[in-house]
Amino acid sequence: MLRRRATPVAEITADVRALVADMIDTMYDEVGIGLAAPQIGVPLRVVVIADDETREARALVNPVITDAGGTATAEEGCLSIPGVFAQVARAAWARVAALDLDGAPATVEAHGLLARVLQHELDHLDGVLFIDRLDPVARDRVKRRIKKEGLVENSRPHAFAL
Ligand code: ZN
């Protein structure tokens, strides 16, 4: 599921709203600040993000990055790859166009952490994981570790898991 390309939402139905409610619960339970539908086994182009200060959740349906720029490198983790953290280079800012849960156009312009969250979650919709964004040496190191130790829940405190 995590490697599939997710399908656009054709219509915002009660099922889509229920999916979003489920995703928000999961995100809060896991102390994540972003979650994509494929991470809970649903192959639809839906993500939820939490404001890093207020923790208020927001749903983005069929999101696309319409503009992005700069470069920033920071540590990332992923709720779907527990215990693995690595420095990932991404755009420093991004603009995302999507629909909200009422089907109205919504735009998010983000810098810093939220820009990273959006890029990470939108990658999930295309079957891309953050470890794919590492340089080959770092990616090999991570893959070898996963093969050797498996995925372990890590008690180490971390900035965020997506
Ligand atoms: Zn993730």
Side-chain angles (χ1 to χ4, degrees), residues 16-96:
V16 172
R17 288 173 211 276
L19 167 67
V20 164
D22 221 21
M23 288 170 66
I24 290 171
D25 282 349
T26 303
M27 176 174 68
Y28 286 152
D29 283 352
E30 303 282 344
V31 203
I33 54 175
L35 194 75
Q39 291 181 276
I40 60 164
V42 179
L44 286 175
R45 302 187 80 80
V46 178
V47 306
V48 295
I49 52 175
D51 187 291
D52 50 336
E53 277 163 25
T54 64
R55 304 276 296 141
E56 199 177 314
R58 180 171 180 185
L60 300 172
V61 176
N62 299 340
V64 286
I65 293 176
T66 53
D67 206 359
T71 311
T73 300
E75 185 171 75
E76 279 184 36
C78 178
L79 295 175
S80 301
I81 316 174
V84 176
F85 300 89
Q87 297 284 326
V88 184
R90 295 194 184 269
W93 63 270
R95 188 177 299 131
V96 170

Side-chain angles (χ1 to χ4, degrees), residues 61-154:
V61 176
N62 299 340
V64 286
I65 293 176
T66 53
D67 206 359
T71 311
T73 300
E75 185 171 75
E76 279 184 36
C78 178
L79 295 175
S80 301
I81 316 174
V84 176
F85 300 89
Q87 297 284 326
V88 184
R90 295 194 184 269
W93 63 270
R95 188 177 299 131
V96 170
L99 296 176
D100 66 19
L101 269 190
D102 298 317
T107 308
V108 184
E109 268 198 54
H111 297 253
L113 180 57
L114 184 57
R116 179 167 299 276
V117 173
L118 287 167
Q119 292 170 81
H120 179 115
E121 299 312 338
L122 267 64
D123 268 356
H124 272 305
L125 302 182
D126 292 327
V128 175
L129 300 175
F130 82 97
I131 52 175
D132 302 331
R133 300 271 182 204
L134 304 178
D135 67 64
V137 173
R139 189 166 55 231
D140 275 2
R141 197 184 318 128
V142 166
K143 284 188 173 161
R144 255 184 284 119
R145 217 196 89 196
I146 293 173
K147 202 174 261 176
K148 193 169 146 227
E149 301 172 18
L151 292 173
V152 284
E153 292 293 342
N154 194 327

